[in-house]
Amino acid sequence: MKLSLSSLSHANAAHRPTPSELSAKVGIVHLGYGAFHRAHQALITDTYMKEKGGNWKIVGVTWGNSELQDNMAEQDNLYSVGVGYNDQLDIHVVGAVETILTSREIDKIFAYLRDPAVKIVSLTVTEKGYCHHPATGDLDLEHPFIKHDLEDPSHPKSAIGFLVEGLNYRRLHGIRPFTPLTCDNLPENGHVLEKVVLQFAKARDAELYQWIKDNIQFPCTMVDRIVPRTTAQDIDRVSEALGVRDDACVVTEPFLQWVVEDKFVNERPLWETTSIANIQVTDDVLPFEEMKLRLLNGTHSSMAYLGYLSGYRTIAETIADPQFKTFIRSMMDNEITPSVHIQGVDLNDYKNQLIERYENRALKHLTWQIAMDGSQKVPQRFLQTMRYGLEHNIELSGLYLALAGWIRYVSGIDEQNQAIDVQDPLKETFAQVWEQHQANPEQLVTAFVAINKVFDPFFTQHPEFTQKLTAALKQILSIGAKQSVYQWVKQHQSLATH
Ligand code: CS2
């Protein structure tokens, strides 16, 4: 039997949405309805409606995942969040979703974006969904979706196109605007969104640009919860625990954090008043973003590239290798922490907790999944920390190894000569650079560092950066990623004992 309102009444009535939640109206449109959103903002909003009421039902927009749309529709738009820790699994059924639309259902999406009842349009469209140059933050006016949306604004393909057209309608009809709320893993994500929205609006119409500039705020957020892509095994485990089959479930970890900048141009749910811990509304999100992007995402990506090349399929497998664990923890302490400036957080506890989160055997978080879209992630996960380190004379050998691991990974061939399924908007560029320079690591690194969509010119001006990166790549090419990590640990342990 499938999950639905009626099957739930028989199987597990405790999980039924409350009557007030069932009758609540839509208040949020979420662009980029994926696993992360389901286990984070949607779950939090669900808890809010169950505990406090309010009309905050969510319309989720997915770019192409019509299977998820079908599964949700068959389940009365219910799904469960399985919270897993090693062998333990707790289930929460979420009833906060009104419906799922695909990005091609343009009229239906606009009906919501125009509706005054919709007060927030939130986004998790991944780094590449901002259609910007990651190194500069500028909108990529050559991006095919952006070009299309500027020519035909009423049939957008990009999230930016939907947002601007929705705001434009409200401007022209005197309807109170919604707050665009980004929940993607980018530093100063609100500013990134604001910049691309304004540049897009400017390319469309000067008045629209000015109106957005004067009337819209783009709160920054720091979001954190590890939510791997759902597997067939996850579906079986959750369905068994729930008593009915749920093809739209997600499995996540117990940890959750959300820090939101308090500048909304319309109403919002007071998420921070729910019984869920670790939700904070503040004036300054940047220190939290830096802490999380550098310590968590930076080490996640390090494990993704070096772990994958070492033959480890998941993060839990990678961190179970004691040498990797030492490598990651030392890198956090010696190379990353100096660049993190935050008051009121015990960073030692935070880092201990990160290692425990990585060790959680309930999550099968593929190194391959995290390795995806490196061109969009490397600037904020590695390069900003390295820039700080270069400016402050901090030793960065672990980060050089991780960055070299990324360069090695995007060659598309692993250490056993098997193909790697590289997923990245710059995949072709990487393949060409490798093709041209593979016999020569110096040239290879120089050509990578010259890719200005990823590397800020700062790095080309620092010969030390290129030299050390080349040395790390040479080592990976000669002894492999795993032995390079082992060697690193050996050297650092002997340094520590001298
Ligand atoms: C991961 C993140 O896939 C990735 O790149 O590093 O999705 C990570 O799991 C989240 O940011 C955790 O909050």
Side-chain angles (χ1 to χ4, degrees):
M1 218 198 302
K2 251 187 173 271
L3 170 62
S4 69
L5 281 172
S6 66
S7 70
L8 202 55
S9 308
H10 304 296
N12 216 328
H15 287 303
R16 256 182 82 90
T18 56
S20 71
E21 184 175 29
L22 281 173
S23 61
K25 298 198 174 57
V26 172
I28 299 174
V29 172
H30 184 78
L31 305 178
Y33 182 80
F36 176 77
H37 171 77
R38 275 181 283 162
H40 194 266
Q41 187 192 335
L43 173 82
I44 299 168
T45 306
D46 178 72
T47 306
Y48 182 85
M49 284 195 283
K50 288 194 166 104
E51 292 177 358
K52 316 268 170 187
N55 291 312
W56 295 108
K57 276 262 177 101
I58 300 168
V59 171
V61 179
T62 154
W63 262 253
N65 193 348
S66 51
E67 195 187 328
L68 180 60
Q69 181 187 38
D70 294 344
N71 285 333
M72 289 283 293
E74 282 174 33
Q75 298 183 178
D76 296 330
N77 291 306
L78 298 173
Y79 69 91
S80 25
V81 176
V83 178
Y85 190 68
N86 295 334
D87 298 325
Q88 223 174 298
L89 187 71
D90 292 329
I91 308 280
H92 298 261
V93 174
V94 173
V97 176
E98 172 77 11
T99 187
I100 302 300
L101 301 172
T102 73
S103 60
R104 289 180 300 276
E105 293 174 278
I106 291 174
D107 295 343
K108 290 187 186 164
I109 298 174
F110 277 127
Y112 285 111
L113 294 181
R114 292 168 181 168
D115 182 351
V118 168
K119 298 177 171 126
I120 293 171
V121 178
S122 49
L123 298 89
T124 46
V125 290
T126 80
E127 296 85 349
K128 63 176 181 269
Y130 292 80
C131 307
H132 70 315
H133 294 296
T136 59
D138 282 325
L139 181 68
D140 180 1
L141 289 163
E142 295 305 311
H143 190 292
F145 279 15
I146 297 299
K147 273 176 118 165
H148 169 276
D149 293 358
L150 284 171
E151 273 163 30
D152 187 3
S154 52
H155 298 93
K157 290 190 172 174
S158 71
I160 310 303
F162 276 110
L163 273 180
V164 173
E165 183 62 9
L167 288 170
N168 192 34
Y169 183 91
R170 293 199 181 206
R171 170 179 81 100
L172 296 172
H173 295 82
I175 301 169
R176 187 169 174 192
F178 50 75
T179 307
L181 183 68
T182 157
C183 295
D184 277 297
N185 275 318
L186 291 160
E188 302 191 75
N189 54 7
H191 300 159
V192 171
L193 180 62
E194 179 171 23
K195 190 164 174 180
V196 292
V197 161
L198 284 173
Q199 288 179 344
F200 184 89
K202 199 170 203 168
R204 267 189 65 177
D205 163 354
E207 277 181 37
L208 169 63
Y209 163 81
Q210 199 55 47
W211 181 85
I212 294 180
K213 211 167 169 340
D214 295 343
N215 292 283
I216 307 300
Q217 301 271 7
F218 298 80
C220 287
T221 62
M222 181 272 249
V223 293
D224 190 7
R225 190 166 219 190
I226 296 175
V227 195
R229 192 177 276 185
T230 308
T231 63
Q233 248 181 334
D234 292 333
I235 296 180
D236 291 345
R237 269 191 85 197
V238 168
S239 303
E240 199 190 323
L242 185 65
V244 284
R245 184 162 176 91
D246 180 356
D247 285 307
C249 68
V250 283
V251 171
T252 186
E253 59 174 344
F255 185 90
L256 173 158
Q257 190 172 13
W258 199 12
V259 184
V260 186
E261 190 181 11
D262 197 6
K263 53 174 199 188
F264 285 68
V265 298
N266 203 326
E267 288 160 47
R268 67 171 179 90
L270 301 178
W271 294 292
E272 69 280 21
T273 63
T274 61
S275 57
I276 299 178
N278 256 349
I279 304 173
Q280 201 175 331
V281 176
T282 146
D283 290 339
D284 191 8
V285 179
L286 189 62
F288 293 94
E289 286 178 335
E290 281 185 354
M291 170 182 76
K292 192 256 170 174
L293 279 164
R294 294 178 185 181
L295 284 166
L296 190 160
N297 298 107
T299 55
H300 237 188
S301 288
S302 305
M303 288 188 282
Y305 300 119
L306 295 169
Y308 184 98
L309 292 169
S310 303
Y312 295 132
R313 260 177 22 96
T314 65
I315 290 297
E317 275 175 37
T318 312
I319 203 79
D321 176 333
Q323 313 239 34
F324 261 89
K325 185 169 167 177
T326 307
F327 171 70
I328 291 298
R329 183 61 208 241
S330 324
M331 194 159 81
M332 284 182 183
D333 287 340
N334 304 322
E335 303 186 19
I336 308 178
T337 303
S339 79
V340 174
H341 303 102
I342 189 159
Q343 310 281 315
V345 176
D346 183 330
L347 284 179
N348 208 38
D349 285 352
Y350 184 79
K351 290 182 277 190
N352 289 339
Q353 198 176 23
L354 282 184
I355 301 284
E356 264 176 39
R357 292 170 64 191
Y358 297 158
E359 288 173 333
N360 183 356
R361 283 181 286 103
L363 303 185
K364 304 277 177 279
H365 204 181
L366 298 183
T367 45
W368 172 81
Q369 190 191 342
I370 300 167
M372 233 181 256
D373 292 338
S375 64
Q376 316 291 304
K377 295 175 175 173
V378 155
Q380 62 275 16
R381 295 185 179 202
F382 295 155
L383 298 179
Q384 289 184 0
T385 316
M386 296 179 88
R387 182 177 182 145
Y388 183 92
L390 283 163
E391 286 168 344
H392 294 83
N393 271 322
I394 292 158
E395 207 257 342
L396 299 171
S397 54
L399 283 162
Y400 282 113
L401 205 56
L403 188 59
W406 167 66
I407 295 180
R408 174 67 186 79
Y409 177 91
V410 298
S411 70
I413 305 285
D414 72 11
E415 295 181 357
Q416 280 69 46
N417 257 327
Q418 301 296 309
I420 302 175
D421 178 11
V422 176
Q423 306 259 336
D424 196 295
L426 295 190
K427 179 182 161 159
E428 299 306 323
T429 310
F430 300 150
Q432 275 164 16
V433 173
W434 266 96
E435 170 91 35
Q436 223 177 331
H437 301 292
Q438 56 188 329
N440 188 326
E442 274 89 4
Q443 285 178 7
L444 196 55
V445 166
T446 307
F448 262 91
V449 178
I451 302 175
N452 61 12
K453 283 189 178 169
V454 180
F455 290 88
D456 185 277
F458 171 88
F459 295 99
T460 35
Q461 290 149 15
H462 278 75
E464 178 194 347
F465 177 79
T466 319
Q467 278 156 17
K468 292 193 169 159
L469 186 54
T470 308
L473 183 63
K474 276 186 182 164
Q475 193 181 33
I476 294 181
L477 289 170
S478 77
I479 62 171
K482 195 189 242 178
Q483 289 310 320
S484 301
V485 170
Y486 287 11
Q487 186 112 13
W488 188 97
V489 170
K490 212 160 145 190
Q491 273 163 4
H492 283 72
Q493 275 169 346
S494 74
L495 278 180
T497 51
H498 280 98

